[in-house]
Amino acid sequence: MIQQKADFLKNQFIPLLKQIPAETQPKWGKMTLQQMIEHFADSMRIASGKTVYTDIITPPETLQRMRDFLASEKPFRENTVNPMLPEVPAPVKNPSVEEAIQELSQEVDFFFDVFEKNDLQVTRNPLFGDLNFEQNVQLLHKHALHHLRQFGVENP
């Protein structure tokens, strides 16, 4: 199952994003398509350890429930609040959606390279705690499906 999710992230996610017209309005949330893609690139940097967090902001009494949700096949709900994100989405960094997708593609490749070099690698997610490869893939896959649904891609 994890291998299928990893294959999805490696081989299907980017092509699906490329099929979404840049002007597509989200079904929920405040981010534009480009903001979402750049937000996902940030998530990849956390998963790969390129962006390092020392603190886990989830209260200790809630962390196991968060990790149980992560391990489940339950999707993120629409309008799930991420306490790491500002109320107003960050301005875009890339000149275009295409360049944001290219940046994301590089971050996806980097993530898999990191874990191919060290399959015992663990990275700290500020919401879910310390995650190994399988847990990061589970989270990234769940996160990817959430944002694809947000922009109208159902059951990829």
Side-chain angles (χ1 to χ4, degrees), residues 44 48-50 105-115:
M44 293 301 306
S48 70
K50 191 183 276 189
S105 181
Q106 291 168 355
E107 295 302 337
V108 169
D109 291 344
F110 183 79
F111 167 80
F112 285 102
D113 287 346
V114 163
F115 283 95

Side-chain angles (χ1 to χ4, degrees), residues 16-36:
L16 286 168
L17 289 174
K18 288 179 178 179
Q19 293 176 15
I20 303 171
E23 66 281 356
T24 301
Q25 294 299 304
K27 291 182 169 189
W28 70 83
K30 299 175 184 176
M31 286 189 260
T32 64
L33 178 65
Q34 185 170 338
Q35 288 168 321
M36 179 275 285

Side-chain angles (χ1 to χ4, degrees), residues 101-156:
I101 290 173
Q102 180 59 38
E103 177 190 31
L104 173 58
S105 181
Q106 291 168 355
E107 295 302 337
V108 169
D109 291 344
F110 183 79
F111 167 80
F112 285 102
D113 287 346
V114 163
F115 283 95
E116 282 174 19
K117 289 177 182 152
N118 180 3
D119 62 352
L120 300 177
Q121 173 81 28
V122 172
T123 56
R124 176 155 290 180
N125 181 288
L127 299 174
F128 293 94
D130 295 338
L131 305 179
N132 63 23
F133 174 74
E134 290 80 12
Q135 292 165 320
N136 271 300
V137 167
Q138 176 73 9
L139 175 57
L140 291 167
H141 181 261
K142 188 180 290 233
H143 192 188
L145 295 181
H146 170 74
H147 284 301
L148 287 170
R149 280 193 314 275
Q150 181 184 19
F151 284 89
V153 180
E154 299 289 339
N155 304 316

